[in-house]
Amino acid sequence: MLQCSDMTVLERQRARLKWQEEHFQQHQQESYFSELSGVFSSQTGHVQGFHQGGLMSCGGAAGGDSVLSDVMMTRQLKPDPGLETAWPELGKKVDMGAMGFGPCGYGNGQSFDMNQAISRTSSCPPAMAAVEAVEVKGNLEKMGLAVGRESFKKRKVEKLQNSKVVAEDDSKRIKASEEEEEESKITGPNTKKSSNNNKETSGDTSKENSKVSDVQKPDYIHVRARRGQATDSHSLAERVRREKISERMKYLQDLVPGCNKITGKAGMLDEIINYVQSLQRQVEFLSMKLATVNTRLDFDIDNLYGKDVFPSCTSNFSTVGNMPPELANHPPYVQFNPIQQVVSGCGVEMGINSSDMALRRTISASVLIPDASLLNTSCFTGMQQIQPSAAWDVELQNLYNVAFTGSIEGSDLKMEM
Amino acid sequence: MKEQRRVYPMEPRTIMQTSFAKTYLNYLLPELANIGKPASSLSVDRYVDKEIEKTVRYEVDMALALSAQGFAWSHALEHKLRLNVNNNNQVGKSQSYLSHDGYRNTMPVNHEPATEKLEGNPKRSGTEAAAEEEERLTYLRKLIPGGSGEMMLDDEILLSELGSYVSCLELQVNVLRSVLQLN
């Protein structure tokens, strides 16, 4: 019987759609409003409003939706000629779980002139779906009225017509829940502002307000004036801007090594300039070195795996030539994080000549030997058998560890020269 | 440059940092391998070295731009690099997007006493401090790629771009150094 099959179908689909609608509820409502109003532009006003009202109810209802969407799914086959253009498009959206045409058929099968299957399915499972049906109707009506009163965000829908057509039983319950729903609906678009207001009244800083409002994209930024400060809009905006700037400056202070002692914007900017310049010079130098390596060694990716860290370091030693061993054993050089030390070294010296470059190279090489454990030499030797793609990931992970830990630790250490 | 107001929150930077090294190397190393296989007709002489230097530098910069998507400076850097590639005939020496002025010689260094706060010191004359800051900010705009665009005129945006640029430069330096150490 159609009844039995519907029940199994309903049960199956209800579980699936329940979680779906939770996720898509808000989002779908609006999108479906827009799509539906476009779809139904050719339809009569009555039908249009009805459909949209049904959709609203579907979006809002808890358990009833599954019934409706189930009904939708079962009836897709023979659309009414009047609704022919509409149904196929709507049929595509069934999976989204917010189909609202069930209640339309349910509440008003006769006026709808839908196919037999629909009216049968809608009327048939009263036992199990009675509660949900009532809920659906209730939702339908309250949603219709709520939306009608509210003119929900972008869509103007003729739902008022629809709401009257729906059955009127349980009107009291409907009205009671309707109040809630309507309130929640109305405050829906305003929740952002109200939450801002709540935060304001709770006495949060203006900075937090502006953060919150930036995240939630309201029409304007709520800023609370501090005690004893000017309250006109210009100074408030100015204060917000200053706070943002100082926030960014603090972040830069953490980023640039050795800026903890320096206070004052100009000095900080000075340090930042120095640091950026030194980093850029380093990049230039490293890329030149990379180019020479490229030409000399016929750069081959696979060679990277086979090399052990120690041989590479020793080769660096040999290429430099006059490698002063005492410098390598110098405690300050060895102890510090190699990346940090090279960076700060570059930052201090303004004029860089080639001998200095060579010196720094050796220092970095010598200090990296103790840090070879980071690069996991055993991993490298084992990599020869691994497929290149997998080895890439491992090596990249190691490189990333070196790079990331280097950048993290960089802010803590400063080498005094 | 388009005039669009985009907000760059700080959180995406951390997301980018975690994948920076991988993205960077994924781009750079195959490109370097391609460079490393020159056409047989090219002989190794100084001119070719310069060419290779330029190309390597280009790839290094491009890898940085591509690994740090979503920032104004990375977009500007990519744009500039592509433009420079098209105008490659005119440039003789090795290219870099940097332009070093004699900044350190002309600009006096003022390290304020530690008692001052970051927001500004009422004791100091406002205009003097502001002028100094402006000078430094202007210089910073020259340093960062895309610093002369309209978006960077806003101090907020400039500072946040600087933050991401500095951290990406750091990551880049570390990655390059690691690559060189391995070879």
Side-chain angles (χ1 to χ4, degrees):
Chain A
M1 279 246 345
L2 196 55
Q3 219 165 3
C4 300
S5 63
D6 278 342
M7 285 172 119
T8 54
V9 163
L10 286 169
E11 277 167 9
R12 253 186 285 123
Q13 290 168 338
R14 186 176 307 130
R16 178 158 51 98
L17 294 164
K18 243 190 179 67
W19 71 267
Q20 263 189 355
E21 63 181 308
E22 285 169 27
H23 292 280
F24 295 128
Q25 194 169 354
Q26 199 77 18
H27 189 61
Q28 280 174 343
Q29 273 176 347
E30 296 201 356
S31 60
Y32 288 150
F33 276 177
S34 51
E35 283 161 336
L36 277 180
S37 61
V39 162
F40 287 120
S41 55
S42 59
Q43 306 294 332
T44 62
H46 164 76
V47 168
Q48 178 179 4
F50 203 60
H51 279 221
Q52 286 166 330
L55 175 60
M56 283 185 268
S57 81
C58 208
D65 288 351
S66 49
V67 179
L68 318 174
S69 38
D70 297 341
V71 169
M72 263 296 283
M73 287 181 174
T74 51
R75 70 103 199 89
Q76 274 188 42
L77 317 166
K78 299 177 206 169
D80 189 74
L83 308 166
E84 204 166 10
T85 56
W87 285 127
E89 291 160 356
L90 296 167
K92 288 179 210 158
K93 297 169 197 168
V94 167
D95 289 340
M96 300 294 279
M99 287 301 105
F101 306 102
C104 308
Y106 195 101
N108 216 3
Q110 318 84 310
S111 66
F112 232 146
D113 196 24
M114 287 163 67
N115 53 33
Q116 293 299 317
I118 296 175
S119 48
R120 216 182 309 142
T121 53
S122 55
S123 58
C124 82
M128 65 169 279
V131 176
E132 289 139 349
V134 167
E135 226 177 271
V136 161
K137 280 190 292 180
N139 288 339
L140 174 63
E141 168 141 338
K142 84 185 163 192
M143 293 297 296
L145 288 176
V147 175
R149 261 173 240 184
E150 196 193 317
S151 79
F152 198 98
K153 275 223 172 165
K154 301 160 188 169
R155 303 312 321 167
K156 277 189 210 164
V157 192
E158 300 89 358
K159 329 130 205 73
L160 287 176
Q161 302 171 358
N162 134 50
S163 56
K164 285 163 194 167
V165 178
V166 179
E168 298 91 357
D169 30 290
D170 292 0
S171 56
K172 279 187 191 170
R173 182 169 148 250
I174 290 169
K175 275 180 190 156
S177 48
E178 170 188 308
E179 298 291 343
E180 296 175 19
E181 186 76 26
E182 188 180 336
E183 240 178 52
S184 69
K185 273 297 164 196
I186 289 175
T187 57
N190 298 331
T191 42
K192 302 161 189 177
K193 293 197 182 148
S194 63
S195 72
N196 277 345
N197 291 331
N198 289 340
K199 289 195 180 185
E200 280 185 21
T201 54
S202 68
D204 285 344
T205 62
S206 61
K207 178 169 146 185
E208 190 176 336
N209 277 342
S210 65
K211 256 193 210 164
V212 166
S213 38
D214 280 345
V215 167
Q216 293 174 340
K217 209 177 44 157
D219 296 331
Y220 49 93
I221 297 176
H222 290 263
V223 176
R224 187 173 189 80
R226 293 211 190 105
R227 189 188 174 87
Q229 293 199 350
T231 57
D232 59 317
S233 62
H234 294 295
S235 53
L236 283 180
E238 186 61 32
R239 183 147 40 89
V240 166
R241 185 173 163 272
R242 275 202 303 267
E243 283 173 0
K244 278 189 192 164
I245 289 182
S246 71
E247 186 186 321
R248 307 241 189 305
M249 290 290 292
K250 282 191 189 110
Y251 178 79
L252 281 168
Q253 206 172 17
D254 294 334
L255 210 51
V256 177
C259 275
N260 303 324
K261 301 166 194 167
I262 294 176
T263 50
K265 211 166 165 186
M268 258 304 301
L269 290 175
D270 230 12
E271 281 301 312
I272 295 170
I273 290 173
N274 289 342
Y275 191 57
V276 167
Q277 277 179 326
S278 76
L279 284 177
Q280 284 171 343
R281 275 192 294 259
Q282 274 186 65
V283 167
E284 203 168 326
F285 161 67
L286 287 171
S287 80
M288 282 199 314
K289 189 172 171 196
L290 202 58
T292 55
V293 163
N294 221 14
T295 52
R296 214 187 307 145
L297 290 184
D298 188 7
F299 199 92
D300 191 3
I301 297 177
D302 297 328
N303 285 344
L304 289 176
Y305 303 118
K307 300 244 176 178
D308 215 356
V309 179
F310 293 102
S312 66
C313 286
T314 54
S315 69
N316 277 343
F317 280 119
S318 56
T319 50
V320 171
N322 51 342
M323 191 346 244
E326 55 270 16
L327 274 174
N329 298 330
H330 198 284
Y333 286 91
V334 176
Q335 283 163 10
F336 281 97
N337 183 299
I339 292 156
Q340 169 55 31
Q341 109 182 307
V342 177
V343 165
S344 55
C346 284
V348 169
E349 297 189 23
M350 286 301 116
I352 297 180
N353 47 19
S354 54
S355 61
D356 286 341
M357 299 281 230
L359 201 58
R360 257 180 238 107
R361 243 183 296 163
T362 57
I363 292 167
S364 65
S366 65
V367 179
L368 269 172
I369 289 178
D371 286 336
S373 55
L374 270 179
L375 294 171
N376 199 354
T377 54
S378 61
C379 194
F380 282 164
T381 52
M383 261 197 259
Q384 281 168 341
Q385 293 101 26
I386 306 175
Q387 286 297 321
S389 58
W392 263 128
D393 290 338
V394 179
E395 173 170 303
L396 286 174
Q397 191 61 41
N398 290 334
L399 289 174
Y400 159 67
N401 287 334
V402 173
F404 206 47
T405 51
S407 58
I408 286 178
E409 293 164 15
S411 57
D412 300 336
L413 304 173
K414 164 97 175 154
M415 185 176 69
E416 310 294 337
M417 289 192 86
Chain B
M1 247 197 163
K2 288 184 243 175
E3 277 221 348
Q4 41 181 342
R5 170 103 189 172
R6 283 149 69 186
V7 176
Y8 297 102
M10 295 199 186
E11 283 69 21
R13 196 179 295 125
T14 54
I15 298 172
M16 177 271 303
Q17 279 171 351
T18 55
S19 56
F20 181 90
K22 186 164 187 176
T23 321
Y24 191 88
L25 288 170
N26 272 340
Y27 175 80
L28 184 67
L29 291 169
E31 297 288 334
L32 289 179
N34 287 338
I35 300 173
K37 300 167 194 167
S40 53
S41 59
L42 286 177
S43 59
V44 182
D45 59 356
R46 240 173 253 147
Y47 176 70
V48 173
D49 278 348
K50 283 293 178 184
E51 282 294 317
I52 292 180
E53 249 180 47
K54 270 198 303 187
T55 319
V56 167
R57 188 65 222 271
Y58 170 83
E59 295 298 345
V60 159
D61 291 338
M62 186 57 93
L64 174 65
L66 294 176
S67 311
Q69 301 279 348
F71 299 111
W73 59 263
S74 66
H75 181 80
L77 177 60
E78 194 182 335
H79 187 71
K80 197 183 303 189
L81 286 175
R82 295 202 196 277
L83 272 183
N84 283 341
V85 164
N86 295 335
N87 302 337
N88 223 359
N89 306 330
Q90 304 165 9
V91 183
K93 49 181 182 170
S94 86
Q95 290 218 50
S96 94
Y97 65 89
L98 312 171
S99 61
H100 298 289
D101 300 355
Y103 163 69
R104 291 302 292 148
N105 301 329
T106 58
M107 183 85 89
V109 177
N110 278 323
H111 288 287
E112 277 109 76
T115 53
E116 290 191 25
K117 293 184 180 150
L118 202 63
E119 284 251 308
N121 194 355
K123 293 176 194 170
R124 225 188 140 88
S125 75
T127 52
E128 190 184 324
E132 268 194 23
E133 286 170 15
E134 263 315 303
E135 217 175 324
R136 286 169 168 83
L137 285 176
T138 319
Y139 195 76
L140 277 173
R141 283 197 188 96
K142 288 183 206 160
L143 283 183
I144 193 171
S148 48
E150 305 104 36
M151 206 177 291
M152 299 290 192
L153 287 175
D154 186 5
D155 287 351
E156 257 176 61
I157 294 185
L158 175 64
L159 289 177
S160 68
E161 290 290 314
L162 270 177
S164 66
Y165 183 59
V166 163
S167 68
C168 285
L169 276 182
E170 276 178 355
L171 291 172
Q172 184 186 32
V173 162
N174 293 335
V175 165
L176 285 174
R177 191 175 291 117
S178 317
V179 167
L180 284 168
Q181 285 301 321
L182 290 175
N183 206 9

